[in-house]
Amino acid sequence: MTLALRAMAQLASWPDLTETPPSCGTGRALRTVHHEIVHFHTDQDVDLHLTARAIRRFEDHLRGATAVRLVPGSRWVTIRLEVETDMDLLLTLVSLALQAHQAWPVSRDAPAAECNDHHDMALPRDHSSGS
């Protein structure tokens, strides 16, 4: 069983999440009553819907995680599941996303945020030493 399938099975058992077809049309998704939270696009690529405020608050940590890719202007982060710790990170970030959407809800009138599957690519973090 792939890490994505294991993560999907575990997250689908969480009481606040329900499986649903993803709005982007690719893969499988989990949602709360109000928002899609996670899209499993492939056996390795997962998009997670955070609030803009949560991304700003944890940006340094997100950029420091080698499994995480940020797309400028997107409220979604992409997680690449390659090793067990990536799955652990995903589970932690889903918990953070659920808390963020409860603490800082997005207006129901706001346009739906497209996941990163609609972007050309998720940009890798900068590996340069600042030179």
Side-chain angles (χ1 to χ4, degrees):
M1 182 181 273
T2 67
L3 291 172
L5 287 174
R6 286 178 39 213
M8 177 75 182
Q10 187 166 349
L11 290 168
S13 73
W14 290 16
D16 292 342
L17 295 173
T18 305
E19 188 169 356
T20 186
S23 58
C24 65
T26 304
R28 297 167 72 185
L30 294 167
R31 67 170 297 118
T32 65
V33 172
H34 302 290
H35 302 284
E36 285 183 88
I37 297 295
V38 62
H39 288 182
F40 290 84
H41 294 298
T42 69
D43 285 341
Q44 291 186 313
D45 295 316
V46 180
D47 280 346
L48 175 67
H49 187 196
L50 290 171
T51 62
R53 186 172 179 176
I55 290 173
R56 281 191 309 274
R57 183 173 181 199
F58 297 104
E59 186 172 5
D60 289 342
H61 297 290
L62 293 170
R63 288 195 185 281
T66 58
V68 174
R69 302 293 179 260
L70 299 175
V71 173
S74 177
R75 288 182 271 168
W76 292 76
V77 297
T78 300
I79 297 113
R80 182 104 174 140
L81 300 176
E82 294 180 337
V83 296
E84 280 293 320
T85 55
D86 297 339
M87 189 176 91
D88 296 338
L89 176 62
L90 173 64
L91 297 175
T92 300
L93 290 175
V94 169
S95 180
L96 172 69
L98 291 171
Q99 291 173 21
H101 282 283
Q102 288 174 356
W104 308 305
V106 176
S107 167
R108 289 184 189 244
D109 297 332
E114 289 187 350
C115 70
N116 290 342
D117 191 52
H118 290 286
H119 294 276
D120 289 334
M121 66 177 226
L123 303 173
R125 70 185 182 103
D126 184 0
H127 291 285
S128 69
S129 60
S131 49

